[in-house]
Amino acid sequence: MTNALAVVGAGAAGCGVAYALRDTAFDVTIFEKSRGVGGRATTRRRNGCYYDHGANYLKPTDDRTGTLLSTLGTDGLVDIEAPVWTYDKRGQIRRGDREEAHKWSYQTGLTQFAKRVLRQTDATVEKGVEIARLEWTDDGDWAGWRLFDGADTAVGRFDRVVLTPPAPQTAGILRRSQWIDSRRRELTEAIDAVPYRTIRSVMLHYPFKLDLPYYALVNVDRDHPIGWLSREECKPGHVPDGESLLVVQMSPEWSEEHADLSTARAGRRVAQLASTLLDDSRVADPDWVDTQGWRYALPDARVDDATVRSAEDEGLYFAGDWVVGEGRVHAAFWNGVAVGERVTVAHE
Ligand SMILES: Cc1cc2nc3c(=O)[nH]c(=O)nc-3n(C[C@H](O)[C@H](O)[C@H](O)COP(=O)(O)OP(=O)(O)OC[C@H]3O[C@@H](n4cnc5c(N)ncnc54)[C@H](O)[C@@H]3O)c2cc1C
């Protein structure tokens, strides 16, 4: 038996799979459609600033993530010390009353998490390769999965495959796949049914420092067009001294309604809303803006566990935040680890 395993997606879950399979007999190849790793926990760099435009930080609720972060190296690891405050639909800001846990990023951004995890593995990462479909093949000598890219070119043959894109994208891969088995339809339908929230992140930069007592504001009644507003300058190393960079995550309703707005127009609208919320007219006039639409930002449910495991005997596995039903980097990562561990157990 050979041990070729493909992971589709180099986000937290895909990195977790590779991490669990380090130092095993498995030969792991990760296919990632974008040019970088980290998925929704990723970082951009512009004009001397680093900013986490998807997940803001790692806020583990368990000891094992803390231990993992130490193993990955604490150089450049930063804890965001300033608190998170709240506001309601009227824009009434209140001091947060929750006990603050650690909120971790890295000086050069949260994407470091995926990079450091992958450095501990000997997985091959094929960036810029979007997997369009799978094909189950059994030619008598070998049975397994062939993977095809968007041009329908075969990119390899694998004994096992782990799919980690957000549920609707994973369902799309299954729908296009060739696998004559009733589980293909059952899996596609169950996975496609996982609902996701859409979030448009808008970044606003200022050539001066905003003097505020909090790192971030979160809308607690979910009835304000801004869902979350945070200050990248509270993460050491992210923003040059004397500057400010706001990451404003818009509500799902606003994000869907304004999905097609250009960066410049979205920047103007969001800057105006942020200026009102912070009661600071200077905020309406950023010197540069950036934006990212996360169509599948956060899962609102999880897929049925028995269904999602039903094809493991054929070497087909699934991992990700939608498998655990929690839109958190550490939850996706540990789900990937658990799947990787099941792969090794099945192999023994
Ligand atoms: C705006 C926002 C804010 C958030 N804030 C936080 C936070 O503060 N803290 C926190 O813990 N979590 C936060 N989250 C949630 C967290 O980012 C996710 O739950 C977690 O990163 C999901 O990891 P994943 O590996 O399951 O999926 P992803 O990170 O989406 O990884 C899937 C990967 O698959 C790739 N891919 C997709 N289709 C294909 C294909 N066909 N072929 C090849 N590759 C493909 C994608 O490019 C991606 O890299 C936030 C998310 C968003 C969007």
Side-chain angles (χ1 to χ4, degrees):
M1 185 191 271
T2 56
N3 296 316
L5 180 137
V7 179
V8 179
C15 293
V17 176
Y19 188 73
L21 295 174
R22 73 196 187 288
D23 305 328
T24 68
F26 284 93
D27 193 0
V28 177
T29 305
I30 305 182
F31 294 100
E32 168 52 54
K33 73 173 177 183
S34 61
R35 294 273 160 207
V37 298
R40 278 169 277 160
T42 188
T43 308
R44 279 192 189 146
R45 191 174 178 186
R46 180 164 166 185
N47 296 341
C49 299
Y50 292 92
Y51 46 105
D52 300 322
H53 58 297
N56 304 289
Y57 47 70
L58 267 163
K59 190 175 165 188
T61 45
D62 52 6
D63 291 343
R64 62 182 176 164
T65 308
T67 308
L68 172 74
L69 292 176
S70 304
T71 310
L72 298 179
T74 51
D75 57 305
L77 182 68
V78 294
D79 190 6
I80 310 161
E81 286 172 4
V84 176
W85 286 17
T86 67
Y87 60 99
D88 61 17
K89 63 181 172 192
R90 290 170 296 128
Q92 186 85 44
I93 295 175
R94 288 202 174 79
R95 187 182 286 269
D97 54 7
R98 265 185 290 165
E99 180 103 4
E100 288 285 339
H102 291 292
K103 304 184 286 294
W104 300 110
S105 182
Y106 290 88
Q107 278 179 5
T108 52
L110 195 53
T111 195
Q112 273 293 318
F113 177 67
K115 288 185 179 170
R116 291 182 186 208
V117 167
L118 290 173
R119 244 182 259 145
Q120 305 259 326
T121 76
D122 46 19
T124 303
V125 185
E126 299 282 359
K127 294 181 197 156
V129 181
E130 179 164 2
I131 299 302
R133 67 181 185 95
L134 318 178
E135 197 174 293
W136 172 255
T137 310
D138 186 352
D139 59 15
D141 292 332
W142 178 82
W145 297 95
R146 294 172 73 214
L147 270 60
F148 293 82
D149 67 10
D152 215 32
T153 303
V155 295
R157 292 155 62 107
F158 298 90
D159 306 284
R160 293 169 186 78
V161 179
V162 187
L163 298 180
T164 75
Q169 293 172 336
T170 291
I173 294 175
L174 285 175
R175 203 173 290 116
R176 291 185 292 271
S177 294
Q178 205 169 311
W179 176 34
I180 302 165
D181 190 302
S182 59
R183 285 173 291 180
R184 187 180 72 92
R185 191 163 161 211
E186 286 155 21
L187 278 161
T188 307
E189 285 176 1
I191 293 170
D192 210 18
V194 176
Y196 268 80
R197 255 176 280 163
T198 296
I199 295 178
R200 186 159 185 181
S201 298
V202 178
M203 280 59 71
L204 309 170
H205 179 271
Y206 304 91
F208 52 85
K209 183 155 185 196
L210 291 165
D211 185 19
L212 294 165
Y214 44 79
Y215 152 61
L217 293 174
V218 62
N219 176 217
V220 278
D221 55 18
R222 293 193 180 182
D223 211 7
H224 193 283
I226 294 176
W228 164 274
L229 178 152
S230 54
R231 303 164 55 222
E232 284 297 290
E233 62 271 22
C234 294
K235 297 175 180 170
H238 277 229
V239 180
D241 284 348
E243 301 178 16
S244 287
L245 179 56
L246 298 181
V247 173
V248 187
Q249 293 171 2
M250 303 308 291
S251 71
E253 297 73 26
W254 194 98
S255 300
E256 277 167 34
E257 204 179 314
H258 298 88
D260 297 330
L261 221 52
S262 68
T263 300
R265 294 186 70 190
R268 272 198 297 279
R269 295 234 191 150
V270 172
Q272 194 59 57
L273 288 163
S275 157
T276 306
L277 178 61
L278 300 183
D279 193 21
D280 185 337
S281 58
R282 298 172 304 162
V283 172
D285 191 22
D287 63 347
W288 58 263
V289 303
D290 192 8
T291 180
Q292 166 76 37
W294 299 101
R295 181 153 180 227
Y296 306 117
L298 298 169
D300 268 330
R302 62 184 289 176
V303 69
D304 174 65
D305 206 39
T307 309
V308 86
R309 290 189 190 201
S310 64
E312 293 188 358
D313 60 341
E314 298 279 42
L316 180 58
Y317 294 78
F318 303 90
D321 57 359
W322 54 277
V323 178
V324 275
E326 196 186 347
R328 290 280 156 219
V329 179
H330 64 276
F333 174 81
W334 290 114
N335 179 246
V337 170
V339 168
E341 286 169 351
R342 287 211 300 281
V343 168
T344 46
V345 169
H347 178 67
E348 280 162 13

